[in-house]
């Protein structure tokens, strides 16, 4: 997967922001969302994103997998990420 052209990623003290430079729309991400976007945009699999979340946060595997799957689905539907 990769980010669609024209999507800027900025980290903040609260997570991050994805900005569509074409229409000005944006998505606010928490820390785990930033990990998911960074991992997928770097060409890694959702499973790698889950592993990174498990390494950094005290969360159950099932919750991490569900969150990664849902965010990935939303970003693909919004055409921010391309499979």
């Amino acid at each position: 997967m990769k980010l669609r052209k024209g999507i800027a990623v900025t980290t903040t003290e609260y997570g991050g922001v994805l900005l569509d430079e074409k229409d000005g729309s944006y998505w606010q991400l928490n820390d785990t969302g930033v990990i998911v976007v960074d991992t997928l945009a770097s060409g890694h699999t959702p499973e790698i994103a889950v592993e990174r979340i498990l390494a950094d946060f005290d969360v159950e595997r099932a919750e991490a997998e569900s969150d990664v799957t849902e965010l990935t689905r939303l970003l693909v539907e919004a055409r921010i990420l391309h499979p």
Side-chain angles (χ1 to χ4, degrees), residues 17-69:
V17 175
L18 300 176
L19 173 65
D20 186 332
E21 296 172 337
K22 184 176 179 182
D23 68 11
S25 63
Y26 67 94
W27 286 58
Q28 209 166 356
L29 301 171
N30 62 16
D31 290 333
T32 57
V34 171
I35 289 172
V36 173
V37 169
D38 178 60
T39 303
L40 297 177
S42 297
H44 299 287
T45 64
E47 292 78 20
I48 297 297
V50 169
E51 294 301 326
R52 286 184 63 193
I53 290 169
L54 292 173
D56 290 351
F57 297 94
D58 183 23
V59 62
E60 296 292 323
R61 177 175 292 278
E63 183 179 353
E65 289 172 346
S66 175
D67 290 349
V68 168
T69 298

